[in-house]
Short mmCIF file of all heavy atoms in Angstrom, two decimals:
data_model
loop_
_atom_site.label_atom_id
_atom_site.label_comp_id
_atom_site.label_asym_id
_atom_site.label_seq_id
_atom_site.Cartn_x
_atom_site.Cartn_y
_atom_site.Cartn_z
N PRO C 1 38.40 117.29 230.50
CA PRO C 1 39.31 118.13 231.32
C PRO C 1 39.83 119.37 230.62
O PRO C 1 40.38 119.35 229.57
CB PRO C 1 40.45 117.14 231.57
CG PRO C 1 39.75 115.86 231.69
CD PRO C 1 38.82 115.89 230.57
N SER C 2 39.67 120.53 231.32
CA SER C 2 40.19 121.88 230.93
C SER C 2 39.56 122.29 229.57
O SER C 2 40.03 123.21 228.99
CB SER C 2 41.65 121.92 230.84
OG SER C 2 42.10 123.21 231.05
N ASN C 3 38.50 121.60 229.20
CA ASN C 3 37.89 121.92 227.90
C ASN C 3 36.35 122.46 228.25
O ASN C 3 35.41 121.70 228.30
CB ASN C 3 37.72 120.54 227.08
CG ASN C 3 37.09 120.77 225.71
OD1 ASN C 3 36.87 121.89 225.23
ND2 ASN C 3 36.76 119.64 225.02
N PHE C 4 36.38 123.68 228.61
CA PHE C 4 35.30 124.30 229.35
C PHE C 4 34.22 124.70 228.32
O PHE C 4 34.50 125.19 227.22
CB PHE C 4 35.70 125.44 230.14
CG PHE C 4 36.74 125.15 231.19
CD1 PHE C 4 37.97 125.55 231.10
CD2 PHE C 4 36.32 124.38 232.32
CE1 PHE C 4 39.02 125.15 232.09
CE2 PHE C 4 37.20 123.97 233.32
CZ PHE C 4 38.58 124.45 233.15
N HIS C 5 32.88 124.54 228.75
CA HIS C 5 31.87 125.04 227.93
C HIS C 5 31.97 126.63 227.84
O HIS C 5 32.37 127.34 228.74
CB HIS C 5 30.49 124.72 228.63
CG HIS C 5 30.20 123.33 228.59
ND1 HIS C 5 29.50 122.78 227.46
CD2 HIS C 5 30.36 122.34 229.34
CE1 HIS C 5 29.38 121.44 227.71
NE2 HIS C 5 29.88 121.12 228.77
N GLY C 6 31.60 127.14 226.58
CA GLY C 6 31.83 128.56 226.31
C GLY C 6 33.18 128.90 225.87
O GLY C 6 33.39 130.06 225.37
N LYS C 7 34.09 128.08 226.00
CA LYS C 7 35.42 128.29 225.48
C LYS C 7 35.86 127.47 224.38
O LYS C 7 37.01 127.53 223.86
CB LYS C 7 36.47 127.90 226.67
CG LYS C 7 36.24 128.68 227.94
CD LYS C 7 36.45 130.26 227.81
CE LYS C 7 36.31 130.97 229.11
NZ LYS C 7 36.48 132.45 228.93
N GLN C 8 34.88 126.79 223.70
CA GLN C 8 35.24 125.82 222.66
C GLN C 8 35.56 126.42 221.26
O GLN C 8 35.86 125.75 220.40
CB GLN C 8 34.02 124.73 222.48
CG GLN C 8 32.77 125.27 222.08
CD GLN C 8 31.78 125.50 223.29
OE1 GLN C 8 32.10 126.19 224.17
NE2 GLN C 8 30.62 124.73 223.16
N GLY C 9 35.42 127.85 221.29
CA GLY C 9 35.83 128.47 220.02
C GLY C 9 37.28 128.33 219.70
O GLY C 9 37.71 128.47 218.65
N TYR C 10 38.07 127.81 220.62
CA TYR C 10 39.50 127.55 220.54
C TYR C 10 39.71 126.41 219.42
O TYR C 10 40.65 126.38 218.68
CB TYR C 10 40.09 127.22 221.76
CG TYR C 10 41.57 126.84 221.76
CD1 TYR C 10 42.53 127.63 221.04
CD2 TYR C 10 42.04 125.71 222.49
CE1 TYR C 10 43.87 127.19 221.10
CE2 TYR C 10 43.40 125.39 222.49
CZ TYR C 10 44.22 126.03 221.74
OH TYR C 10 45.57 125.72 221.77
N GLU C 11 38.65 125.59 219.31
CA GLU C 11 38.74 124.50 218.35
C GLU C 11 38.93 125.01 216.83
O GLU C 11 39.54 124.42 216.09
CB GLU C 11 37.47 123.67 218.36
CG GLU C 11 37.44 122.47 217.32
CD GLU C 11 38.36 121.32 217.64
OE1 GLU C 11 39.03 121.33 218.73
OE2 GLU C 11 38.41 120.40 216.81
N PHE C 12 38.30 126.23 216.59
CA PHE C 12 38.49 126.76 215.27
C PHE C 12 40.01 127.03 215.00
O PHE C 12 40.49 126.67 213.81
CB PHE C 12 37.76 128.08 215.12
CG PHE C 12 36.21 127.92 215.14
CD1 PHE C 12 35.40 128.14 216.17
CD2 PHE C 12 35.62 127.52 213.97
CE1 PHE C 12 34.09 128.04 216.25
CE2 PHE C 12 34.22 127.46 213.87
CZ PHE C 12 33.41 127.67 215.10
N GLU C 13 40.72 127.54 215.86
CA GLU C 13 42.06 127.85 215.80
C GLU C 13 42.93 126.55 215.56
O GLU C 13 43.75 126.43 214.72
CB GLU C 13 42.60 128.59 216.99
CG GLU C 13 44.05 129.00 217.08
CD GLU C 13 44.47 129.83 218.16
OE1 GLU C 13 43.52 130.19 218.91
OE2 GLU C 13 45.73 129.95 218.45
N LEU C 14 42.58 125.50 216.35
CA LEU C 14 43.25 124.21 216.31
C LEU C 14 43.05 123.60 214.99
O LEU C 14 43.95 122.91 214.41
CB LEU C 14 42.83 123.27 217.34
CG LEU C 14 43.29 123.63 218.78
CD1 LEU C 14 42.61 122.78 219.79
CD2 LEU C 14 44.82 123.61 218.97
N MET C 15 41.80 123.65 214.39
CA MET C 15 41.42 123.12 213.09
C MET C 15 42.33 123.73 212.03
O MET C 15 42.78 123.07 211.13
CB MET C 15 39.95 123.25 212.79
CG MET C 15 39.07 122.42 213.68
SD MET C 15 37.32 122.70 213.46
CE MET C 15 36.95 121.86 211.94
N THR C 16 42.45 125.05 212.06
CA THR C 16 43.45 125.67 211.04
C THR C 16 44.80 125.19 211.19
O THR C 16 45.56 125.05 210.19
CB THR C 16 43.26 127.17 211.23
OG1 THR C 16 43.79 127.70 212.49
CG2 THR C 16 41.90 127.69 210.95
N LYS C 17 45.27 124.91 212.33
CA LYS C 17 46.53 124.45 212.60
C LYS C 17 46.86 122.94 211.96
O LYS C 17 47.82 122.58 211.73
CB LYS C 17 46.95 124.45 214.06
CG LYS C 17 47.20 125.87 214.56
CD LYS C 17 47.54 125.81 216.00
CE LYS C 17 47.78 127.10 216.66
NZ LYS C 17 48.07 127.14 218.12
N PHE C 18 45.64 122.21 211.89
CA PHE C 18 45.65 120.96 211.38
C PHE C 18 45.26 120.87 209.98
O PHE C 18 45.00 119.69 209.46
CB PHE C 18 44.81 120.04 212.25
CG PHE C 18 45.44 119.39 213.48
CD1 PHE C 18 46.21 120.23 214.27
CD2 PHE C 18 45.23 118.18 213.88
CE1 PHE C 18 46.79 119.76 215.46
CE2 PHE C 18 45.79 117.60 215.00
CZ PHE C 18 46.60 118.42 215.77
N GLY C 19 45.16 122.03 209.22
CA GLY C 19 45.04 121.95 207.77
C GLY C 19 43.74 122.56 207.26
O GLY C 19 43.66 122.69 206.04
N PHE C 20 42.71 122.86 208.09
CA PHE C 20 41.55 123.44 207.56
C PHE C 20 41.75 124.93 207.23
O PHE C 20 42.60 125.58 207.88
CB PHE C 20 40.43 123.41 208.63
CG PHE C 20 39.84 122.04 209.01
CD1 PHE C 20 40.53 121.20 209.88
CD2 PHE C 20 38.80 121.58 208.46
CE1 PHE C 20 40.01 119.95 210.24
CE2 PHE C 20 38.09 120.37 208.69
CZ PHE C 20 38.88 119.55 209.60
N THR C 21 41.18 125.43 206.17
CA THR C 21 41.08 126.84 205.93
C THR C 21 40.12 127.41 206.93
O THR C 21 39.16 126.73 207.39
CB THR C 21 40.70 127.22 204.52
OG1 THR C 21 39.26 126.81 204.35
CG2 THR C 21 41.51 126.43 203.55
N PRO C 22 40.16 128.75 207.29
CA PRO C 22 39.16 129.42 208.09
C PRO C 22 37.70 129.15 207.52
O PRO C 22 36.84 128.83 208.33
CB PRO C 22 39.56 130.81 208.15
CG PRO C 22 41.10 130.80 207.95
CD PRO C 22 41.30 129.68 207.07
N THR C 23 37.59 129.22 206.24
CA THR C 23 36.25 129.09 205.64
C THR C 23 35.78 127.63 205.86
O THR C 23 34.57 127.45 206.26
CB THR C 23 36.31 129.34 204.15
OG1 THR C 23 36.70 130.70 203.91
CG2 THR C 23 34.94 129.13 203.58
N GLN C 24 36.66 126.64 205.77
CA GLN C 24 36.20 125.31 206.04
C GLN C 24 35.72 125.07 207.46
O GLN C 24 34.79 124.34 207.66
CB GLN C 24 37.31 124.26 205.72
CG GLN C 24 37.61 124.07 204.32
CD GLN C 24 38.81 123.31 203.90
OE1 GLN C 24 39.84 123.39 204.49
NE2 GLN C 24 38.74 122.47 202.92
N THR C 25 36.41 125.67 208.43
CA THR C 25 35.97 125.56 209.82
C THR C 25 34.54 126.11 209.97
O THR C 25 33.73 125.51 210.67
CB THR C 25 36.95 126.21 210.79
OG1 THR C 25 36.95 127.60 210.73
CG2 THR C 25 38.36 125.75 210.58
N LEU C 26 34.28 127.36 209.42
CA LEU C 26 33.00 127.95 209.59
C LEU C 26 31.85 127.19 208.99
O LEU C 26 30.80 127.02 209.47
CB LEU C 26 32.96 129.45 209.06
CG LEU C 26 33.96 130.37 209.72
CD1 LEU C 26 33.69 131.73 209.11
CD2 LEU C 26 34.00 130.30 211.20
N VAL C 27 32.14 126.55 207.73
CA VAL C 27 31.20 125.68 207.14
C VAL C 27 30.91 124.51 207.94
O VAL C 27 29.80 124.01 208.06
CB VAL C 27 31.68 125.38 205.72
CG1 VAL C 27 30.75 124.32 205.06
CG2 VAL C 27 31.72 126.62 204.80
N ALA C 28 32.00 123.82 208.52
CA ALA C 28 31.79 122.65 209.36
C ALA C 28 30.86 122.92 210.52
O ALA C 28 30.02 122.10 210.88
CB ALA C 28 33.15 122.11 209.86
#
């Protein structure tokens, strides 16, 4: 729900809020 295809780039932002560095998100 409300998690639309093509919009999932928002997960990168949420990951950084939960402790990932930007680099770690891109490597993941």
Side-chain angles (χ1 to χ4, degrees):
S2 204
N3 183 11
F4 301 108
H5 289 275
K7 303 293 185 182
Q8 63 262 58
Y10 178 47
E11 176 75 1
F12 289 101
E13 183 178 345
L14 292 173
M15 289 173 78
T16 62
K17 290 180 179 178
F18 275 44
F20 290 84
T21 66
T23 298
Q24 286 174 321
T25 69
L26 301 190
V27 172

